[in-house]
Amino acid sequence: MKTPSDCENLSEIRAEIDRVDRQVIALLGQRFAYVKAAAKFKTSETSVKAPERLQAMLQQRRLWAEAEGLSADAIEKLYQDLVAHFIAEEMTRWRASDSR
């Protein structure tokens, strides 16, 4: 792993970006595993969608983004899209559960 300042050319920069993106995607996979596991603890569609939790989570991600020098708006949009997909997946699993 090279730091951005250690990279000597564009090829090295791109290789490091690809490496980081692979790690980000692996972490999103881990996040999704928790989302799938959460479905078994939910008792209603409202609890799956959890609008209050969503708003609190988005606000926290905005703060984390700002602390990292990132655009809070861009990170919020990214998480809105990601969570919308995960909620749809969780709803599918929740509805298909034998215990409902």
Side-chain angles (χ1 to χ4, degrees), residues 7-99:
C7 292
E8 297 177 5
N9 55 54
L10 189 55
S11 180
E12 288 181 359
I13 293 280
R14 288 178 175 159
E16 291 302 317
I17 288 171
D18 289 348
R19 183 187 60 74
V20 169
D21 284 350
R22 180 67 184 105
Q23 291 175 337
V24 168
I25 290 169
L27 290 171
L28 290 173
Q30 290 177 23
R31 188 185 195 286
F32 187 44
Y34 285 106
V35 169
K36 291 185 288 188
K40 66 185 170 191
F41 299 105
K42 310 273 177 103
T43 58
S44 68
E45 286 192 24
T46 300
S47 67
V48 172
K49 294 177 182 177
E52 299 85 13
R53 162 69 179 145
L54 175 60
Q55 289 310 307
M57 183 272 298
L58 290 174
Q59 184 58 39
Q60 183 63 59
R61 299 321 177 259
R62 290 181 66 84
L63 294 173
W64 292 345
E66 290 169 356
E68 294 296 326
L70 299 170
S71 165
D73 290 342
I75 295 301
E76 181 177 358
K77 174 74 169 107
L78 184 146
Y79 271 90
Q80 284 174 332
D81 291 347
L82 179 70
V83 172
H85 170 72
F86 284 173
I87 287 172
E89 290 289 328
E90 190 177 1
M91 286 299 299
T92 298
R93 291 173 187 281
W94 182 79
R95 287 179 180 140
S97 174
D98 292 338
S99 64

